Amino acid sequence: MRTRADIRPRRGSRTDMAAAEGDGGGARPDAAVQRAELGPLLATALRPGESWYLVDSRWFKQWKKYVGFDSWDMIGAGDLSLFPGPIDNSGLFGDPETQSLKEHLIDELDYVLVPTEAWNKLVMWYGCIDGQQPIVRKVVEYGLFVKHYKVEVYLLELKLCESSDPDNVISCHFSKADTVATIEKEMRKLFNIPAGKETRLWNKYMSNTYEQLSKLDSTVQDAGLYQGQVVLIEVKNEDGTWPGQHFLAKSSTATSRNFTTSSKSSASSYSSVSATSVITNGDSSNSYGLNSSHLGRGGSGFVCNSYNCRDSASLSQPGLCGLSNLGNTCFMNSALQCLSNTPPLTDYFLEDKYEAEINQNNPLGMRGEIAEAYAELIKQIWSGRQSYVAPRVFKTQVGRFAPQFSGYQQQDSQELLAFLLDGLHEDLNRVKKKPYLELKDANGRPDSEVAKEAWENHRLRNDSIIVDIFHGLFKSTLVCPKCSKVSVTFDPFCYLTLPLPLRRDRLMEVTLVYADPQHRPVQYRVVVPMMGAISDLCESLSKLSGVPAENMVVTDVYNHRFHKIFQMDEGLNHIMPKDDIFVYEVRKPSEDGSEYITLSVYFREKTMRQSSSTAGTILFGQPLLISVPKHKLTVDHLYSVVLEQISRYVKFPLAEEYSTPCLDKGTCNGSNGVDEGDIEEMEHQDGGQEGKEKLVEVDPCHSEGFMQIESARDLQPCKKQHFTFSLVNSSGTSEINSIVEGKILKLNAFSALAIDWDSDTRRLLFDEQEAQAFEKHASMLQPQKKKAVVALRDCIELFTTMETLGEHDPWYCPNCKKHQQATKKFDLWSLPRILVVHLKRFSYSRYWRDKLDTVVEFPIRGLNMSEFVCDPRAGSYVYDLIAVSNHYGAMGVGHYTAYAKNKVNDKWYYFDDSSVSVASEDQIVTKAAYVLFYQRRSSEEHTAPPPPQEECDGMDTN
């Protein structure tokens, strides 16, 4: 959990600039019109080249509530307390000064995307926070066969420099749809290179390897440029020569090799790439041209179709070759290292058996290009000539056929593995024309007969090295709860996805803000039920703190405001791990039966705008929740209550607190500058009155509006007030009303007030350090209990446990002729030579995205799966571990690595991108283990791993 200090930007930061009343452009239509106008726009399909805008999801959700956008959430639509204020994207910025985006933002969870027309309407109606620039991004096209469009939220950062001064690097961001010519134009401008000077660009992707970017019309994506890539611009000398030797002499003296991919297809089928200049260690060569069979019909604009690698000091052990991280590609590297260390598959490619089996005409395949690219990469890894390679061509090929992997955002190693196994299978499918097969129901036939039929049918359409090695057979049994109809089917699988036993509880870190103003807030770690309610959180916290649960209000604080105030019956699944949860102690009603009302109070600093002479406000500090008796709800009493609440960190000079009583009504306004009247006419933000209205005296009986004010004391002490009150929306970003002293205020529960300070007063009186100070309860300091360890067999048993289908996932019973919530059971009928086990660590729901970091104990040797195979005639299924894909960190972020056993020397190694190191078996079983690779022992070996030998292809179905 972030500390309280972590959620407060620096004073004066632009991230919290709230627009003053009146911002927001033209007249704002009512909620129904806003819904009608924006609804179709938000459903607009993506089209390449168009601009879309990012909007912070918290602001957008507030807007949806305000206008009643969702039919199931119309309560409170049009309520001014829900008014979202100006568009505020401060929560998306990692650096408020440069307004650069935070890393790893997730669509719909952190931001929403709106098209240009919708953005323009929102800006016209609500305005933007002063100083914030719109976050606009282009729609780009991905995919070779199936076109796929997405908004490129994260631009590619390239490091630009001149060849004559490679140490002077300037970072610039480009779209993957930009061309190399765009980069050249930008570099000419940055380095003041005259238009008449001839230049050429070089791509530096290792310490001593350069490639010329010769095709200026190639896109950044097609050129294979990746995050952080160094691009040099070289200017031709006056004598007509190129100063290549000058900058290349500064590079490493280590030798570098360029391995070109070979073409397996006819040269007449595809366009060829023209000869490409590749310079390594000062040598220039234009000597090789290569066929672009890997790049797609018509060529892709690549300037080089080579794997570039670095020799180690001496020849390395085959297979012990790292893979360079091309920019968030550790997920790919982890999956590739696991597959590379799967002996039967690697031997198949190293022995060139794939060449005779490439299926270029399979409509479900990728014209053999994925198989070709994978084969070349495997040959480099197992050549023993280098310590690492850069899998750029393979990465680009994968992205061309699977657009979800084309960018440089973190992906899932298991998802890439599933795509790669399927892609290799279709590229290497020996079946050239798949026959049509009609599925038959079991109809009471013996399982062995139905299973044999299912497997034979599968092989009639699917026959490849992937099927030989990785495919097994499930048995699925469905039973109708009404008519007891039993349906048995057998289906092939390529990997087992095993559920992990769900935790029954979760740990939450919350901060308790006590009612006693002198008591610093205290951070607690509480244990709550995983599917519990807010009331469960309060009960757990009450046991640790002694504060009665009924006196607690649970809130989510975000950017100095209450993002959400929870009800006791709301589910804890609404609270995500990254949320800052503050629990406030509120006083119980007094014994005299007085009714109390709880108010939200925000701190704001009044500032002058840079762009105009009008005043703006900045939110700061920790918001307050105060409980005030309704009959004492006056500005005077509010002032004294707030003074008491903030007395720990705001120190007032005592002599200035009170002066002599003031008898002249209308002149006793201290420093707040607001005249009193018998009644205050309210200002509404419902589209008609945008400007500040004058405060006039009217008959209280005829007043209407959000807040009513009644007559109070005529005589009161004249205070020197250091802050003033305003009635604001729930986000604290827009004023609904100014407040006049001396009147009884009738406010709703959790109405939001702002206390406004001028900059000098805040600087003199507000102790920032003490305001942010908090203490840690012993529960935070105690070592967390060791997480329960789960055995792999527990996951398998959970997978094979009978379950009842959910109401949203029924089964159509052919007897009942209707959908039923049947019971379903999976069993394993037969298992493959290589058993891939995917531990389902990531869970998703509407409100919750989580990673289960439970330690799963899995055997390194002797995993006996025989007891889980329901075929009574099956042989022994004993497996030994050969590889593990690891994931460290939280969902959507983190890092992937791999452990793998080298097939040559039977030793374990740890693969971390380009680094390879020796590993021991006791390091392998960790909470990071994500995908496990097991190799089946031969039937005659049960106590030790099998020696290297040829095994027959195919799956044992007996």
Side-chain angles (χ1 to χ4, degrees):
M1 175 174 175
R2 291 173 288 172
T3 65
R4 295 180 65 205
D6 289 332
I7 66 170
R8 292 174 179 77
R10 298 186 302 278
R11 185 166 72 89
S13 155
R14 287 180 291 178
T15 56
D16 287 299
M17 184 67 71
E21 184 59 34
D23 281 6
R28 184 168 43 252
D30 62 26
V33 174
Q34 291 186 49
R35 292 196 303 269
E37 290 193 16
L38 256 63
L41 294 177
L42 296 175
T44 304
L46 298 177
R47 287 187 287 269
E50 289 187 343
S51 295
W52 284 59
Y53 290 77
L54 274 71
V55 179
D56 191 307
S57 62
R58 298 200 185 209
W59 185 91
F60 194 73
K61 287 175 183 175
Q62 187 78 13
W63 171 79
K64 289 172 74 174
K65 282 180 176 291
Y66 178 62
V67 301
F69 188 83
D70 296 312
S71 58
W72 44 266
D73 192 20
M74 298 284 287
I75 299 174
D79 188 336
L80 287 175
S81 67
L82 298 176
F83 185 73
I87 300 170
D88 183 4
N89 281 333
S90 57
L92 303 180
F93 298 138
D95 182 347
E97 296 302 323
T98 63
Q99 298 187 12
S100 58
L101 289 185
K102 291 177 180 176
E103 294 184 358
H104 311 301
L105 293 175
I106 300 174
D107 188 16
E108 298 296 336
L109 190 66
D110 300 306
Y111 64 86
V112 294
L113 292 161
V114 300
T116 300
E117 189 176 351
W119 169 262
N120 290 338
K121 287 181 180 292
L122 288 173
V123 171
M124 180 175 64
W125 297 337
Y126 296 93
C128 291
I129 292 293
D130 190 52
Q132 280 189 12
Q133 298 299 315
I135 309 173
V136 58
R137 294 293 187 266
K138 293 284 188 183
V139 178
V140 295
E141 180 183 281
Y142 296 86
L144 186 60
F145 299 121
V146 179
K147 295 302 181 185
H148 176 79
Y149 307 115
K150 65 181 179 181
V151 177
E152 187 181 25
V153 173
Y154 289 97
L155 300 176
L156 197 68
E157 181 185 19
L158 299 179
K159 299 183 181 301
L160 312 179
C161 60
E162 292 181 279
S163 63
S164 58
D165 186 11
D167 295 328
N168 178 28
V169 176
I170 300 176
S171 293
C172 286
H173 291 83
F174 295 91
S175 166
K176 287 187 278 293
D178 286 337
T179 62
V180 173
T182 305
I183 301 175
E184 183 192 37
K185 183 178 178 181
E186 183 65 22
M187 294 184 77
R188 283 180 175 273
K189 184 166 64 176
L190 287 172
F191 301 114
N192 298 314
I193 300 172
K197 290 281 189 179
E198 190 175 347
T199 61
R200 57 184 184 181
L201 300 189
W202 294 90
N203 161 11
K204 178 183 178 184
Y205 54 90
M206 289 186 190
S207 61
N208 61 333
T209 307
Y210 297 82
E211 285 180 350
Q212 186 183 348
L213 296 169
S214 58
K215 291 211 167 187
L216 297 182
D217 58 347
S218 292
T219 64
V220 168
Q221 176 175 301
D222 285 342
L225 299 179
Y226 54 84
Q227 182 72 14
Q229 181 97 54
V230 176
V231 177
L232 298 92
I233 188 166
E234 184 186 16
V235 182
K236 199 169 191 178
N237 295 326
E238 294 295 336
D239 61 4
T241 62
W242 292 98
Q245 298 289 337
H246 173 68
F247 73 88
L248 290 166
K250 297 181 180 180
S251 64
S252 169
T253 56
T255 59
S256 176
R257 301 171 188 263
N258 295 280
F259 297 92
T260 62
T261 57
S262 57
S263 169
K264 305 301 177 188
S265 60
S266 165
S268 62
S269 299
Y270 307 102
S271 300
S272 295
V273 176
S274 59
T276 303
S277 297
V278 175
I279 297 185
T280 27
N281 199 28
D283 298 323
S284 177
S285 171
N286 293 319
S287 60
Y288 67 94
L290 13 121
N291 183 279
S292 64
S293 63
H294 294 226
L295 308 181
R297 193 174 300 276
S300 70
F302 270 86
V303 298
C304 181
N305 195 20
S306 63
Y307 285 103
N308 298 86
C309 49
R310 178 177 170 182
D311 281 359
S312 54
S314 59
L315 292 180
S316 60
Q317 171 76 39
L320 304 187
C321 177
L323 296 171
S324 297
N325 192 319
L326 307 179
N328 284 330
T329 57
C330 57
F331 74 95
M332 179 183 75
N333 295 344
S334 174
L336 286 172
Q337 293 291 8
C338 290
L339 281 180
S340 170
N341 285 280
T342 300
L345 183 64
T346 293
D347 290 344
Y348 171 85
F349 281 101
L350 292 180
E351 295 167 11
D352 289 333
K353 293 179 180 178
Y354 71 96
E355 293 184 5
E357 295 184 345
I358 285 182
N359 188 340
Q360 294 184 342
N361 300 314
N362 185 354
L364 299 179
M366 287 136 226
R367 302 190 306 206
E369 295 179 23
I370 289 294
E372 289 272 13
Y374 181 76
E376 289 300 326
L377 181 58
I378 288 298
K379 290 176 181 179
Q380 295 308 311
I381 291 174
W382 286 88
S383 69
R385 291 197 294 262
Q386 58 277 330
S387 59
Y388 67 84
V389 298
R392 294 186 307 136
V393 173
F394 178 81
K395 162 75 169 62
T396 305
Q397 289 295 77
V398 167
R400 288 163 64 78
F401 293 100
Q404 65 270 31
F405 301 119
S406 61
Y408 293 92
Q409 288 181 279
Q410 185 66 278
Q411 301 285 348
D412 188 304
S413 66
Q414 185 272 333
E415 290 178 4
L416 176 78
L417 183 67
F419 161 77
L420 191 51
L421 288 175
D422 184 59
L424 289 174
H425 159 64
E426 296 294 357
D427 269 5
L428 299 168
N429 198 344
R430 302 170 187 122
V431 178
K432 305 303 180 185
K433 185 176 181 181
K434 295 187 177 185
Y436 171 77
L437 298 172
E438 189 172 345
L439 297 178
K440 297 179 184 178
D441 193 71
N443 285 330
R445 290 183 293 161
D447 283 351
S448 58
E449 179 184 338
V450 181
K452 184 173 184 292
E453 178 182 85
W455 182 248
E456 288 175 349
N457 286 344
H458 178 59
R459 291 302 295 251
L460 286 173
R461 293 175 56 86
N462 303 279
D463 183 16
S464 71
I465 184 65
I466 302 301
V467 177
D468 296 342
I469 296 173
F470 292 98
H471 283 206
L473 207 60
F474 282 140
K475 176 187 176 184
S476 175
T477 306
L478 287 158
V479 180
C480 178
K482 299 297 182 183
C483 69
S484 300
K485 160 73 176 174
V486 178
S487 173
V488 177
T489 57
F490 290 85
D491 301 293
F493 68 89
C494 192
Y495 50 85
L496 281 181
T497 295
L498 299 183
L500 273 62
L502 287 175
R503 297 173 295 188
R504 293 184 175 85
D505 52 43
R506 62 184 277 207
L507 287 174
M508 292 183 64
E509 294 180 3
V510 301
T511 301
L512 178 61
V513 181
Y514 288 86
D516 178 2
Q518 299 307 313
H519 198 314
R520 283 181 173 178
V522 178
Q523 199 175 42
Y524 290 85
R525 181 181 288 133
V526 294
V527 180
V528 295
M530 177 64 76
M531 302 307 294
I534 295 295
S535 56
D536 296 309
L537 168 60
C538 294
E539 290 292 342
S540 296
L541 184 57
S542 178
K543 292 175 183 178
L544 293 177
S545 65
V547 175
E550 60 268 23
N551 288 10
M552 295 180 180
V553 176
V554 179
T555 71
D556 176 3
V557 175
Y558 174 74
N559 274 357
H560 317 291
R561 66 196 69 165
F562 293 116
H563 175 62
K564 184 171 177 60
I565 297 177
F566 295 94
Q567 302 297 317
M568 282 294 186
D569 59 351
E570 287 191 75
L572 291 173
N573 59 342
H574 290 70
I575 299 177
M576 289 179 288
K578 69 175 185 177
D579 292 339
D580 286 300
I581 301 303
F582 286 78
V583 181
Y584 288 78
E585 180 189 6
V586 295
R587 298 188 188 279
K588 291 198 302 185
S590 58
E591 295 179 0
D592 62 6
S594 299
E595 186 180 353
Y596 276 68
I597 188 168
T598 301
L599 303 173
S600 305
V601 179
Y602 297 141
F603 293 82
R604 299 197 307 182
E605 178 185 344
K606 292 179 288 189
T607 63
M608 295 304 294
R609 299 176 184 272
Q610 297 175 352
S611 57
S612 68
S613 59
T614 59
T617 55
I618 294 173
L619 287 171
F620 71 95
Q622 178 72 24
L624 304 175
L625 281 182
I626 59 174
S627 293
V628 184
K630 270 197 168 183
H631 69 280
K632 290 186 177 181
L633 202 53
T634 64
V635 172
D636 191 40
H637 185 69
L638 280 176
Y639 190 86
S640 63
V641 171
V642 172
L643 276 183
E644 182 184 7
Q645 286 296 115
I646 65 178
S647 59
R648 180 172 54 85
Y649 47 89
V650 176
K651 306 300 182 185
F652 293 100
L654 293 178
E656 295 180 8
E657 280 305 309
Y658 291 93
S659 59
T660 57
C662 181
L663 302 176
D664 183 12
K665 258 177 65 175
T667 61
C668 176
N669 51 36
S671 63
N672 67 354
V674 178
D675 291 335
E676 295 183 21
D678 291 332
I679 194 67
E680 179 180 9
E681 182 173 324
M682 305 294 43
E683 169 203 5
H684 293 276
Q685 295 197 357
D686 55 4
Q689 296 169 295
E690 298 293 339
K692 187 73 73 178
E693 297 185 1
K694 292 193 299 183
L695 302 180
V696 297
E697 294 186 11
V698 297
D699 184 347
C701 299
H702 295 94
S703 65
E704 292 181 358
F706 183 80
M707 179 172 63
Q708 295 181 359
I709 302 176
E710 298 172 2
S711 184
R713 299 172 302 171
D714 289 336
L715 183 66
Q716 57 180 322
C718 184
K719 294 182 182 181
K720 175 172 176 56
Q721 293 190 337
H722 296 281
F723 51 81
T724 58
F725 287 98
S726 297
L727 187 64
V728 294
N729 66 340
S730 59
S731 297
T733 54
S734 189
E735 290 185 16
I736 295 174
N737 223 103
S738 293
I739 294 177
V740 182
E741 286 191 29
K743 311 302 174 189
I744 297 294
L745 311 177
K746 290 188 176 180
L747 302 176
N748 300 326
F750 296 108
S751 290
L753 297 174
I755 54 175
D756 294 327
W757 303 65
D758 63 60
S759 299
D760 292 338
T761 304
R762 174 187 172 183
R763 186 176 63 255
L764 291 172
L765 304 181
F766 197 89
D767 186 340
E768 304 275 359
Q769 186 172 355
E770 180 59 32
Q772 296 177 10
F774 66 98
E775 297 173 359
K776 289 193 175 186
H777 183 257
S779 59
M780 294 292 298
L781 306 177
Q782 293 172 352
Q784 297 187 41
K785 291 182 181 179
K786 189 175 181 181
K787 295 184 183 293
V789 176
V790 175
L792 183 62
R793 67 174 298 109
D794 297 332
C795 302
I796 300 171
E797 288 172 353
L798 186 60
F799 175 78
T800 56
T801 299
M802 182 181 295
E803 62 175 350
T804 301
L805 296 177
E807 60 178 325
H808 300 296
D809 185 30
W811 169 67
Y812 184 81
C813 175
N815 280 4
C816 300
K817 306 297 184 185
K818 61 185 293 189
H819 287 90
Q820 303 283 10
Q821 284 182 255
T823 59
K824 184 175 184 178
K825 188 178 189 305
F826 277 124
D827 288 294
L828 303 174
W829 182 262
S830 57
L831 299 176
R833 290 170 61 191
I834 301 297
L835 178 63
V836 180
V837 177
H838 166 222
L839 301 177
K840 195 175 180 181
R841 292 196 177 276
F842 300 114
S843 58
Y844 306 82
S845 74
R846 181 176 173 188
Y847 300 105
W848 184 260
R849 301 186 183 197
D850 191 23
K851 179 190 176 186
L852 303 175
D853 55 1
T854 308
V855 175
V856 178
E857 293 278 7
F858 50 90
I860 307 296
R861 297 184 184 84
L863 171 64
N864 193 341
M865 295 291 293
S866 303
E867 62 180 295
F868 298 107
V869 175
C870 63
D871 180 1
R873 298 180 301 171
S876 174
Y877 285 100
V878 181
Y879 289 85
D880 296 304
L881 189 72
I882 57 172
V884 178
S885 174
N886 303 305
H887 178 267
Y888 300 92
M891 195 193 73
V893 294
H895 185 56
Y896 287 90
T897 65
Y899 287 108
K901 186 177 182 181
N902 184 271
K903 70 186 182 74
V904 177
N905 62 14
D906 281 341
K907 292 181 180 179
W908 282 93
Y909 294 88
Y910 183 61
F911 296 85
D912 185 356
D913 287 333
S914 58
S915 170
V916 183
S917 56
V918 177
S920 59
E921 290 187 359
D922 58 3
Q923 297 174 300
I924 296 170
V925 179
T926 70
K927 67 179 183 181
Y930 182 41
V931 184
L932 315 177
F933 285 67
Y934 280 96
Q935 183 170 17
R936 185 182 177 187
R937 292 181 185 174
S938 59
S939 57
E940 59 271 6
E941 300 245 1
H942 301 298
T943 58
Q949 62 179 15
E950 288 292 323
E951 299 183 65
C952 59
D953 285 346
M955 185 186 64
D956 184 1
T957 59
N958 298 319

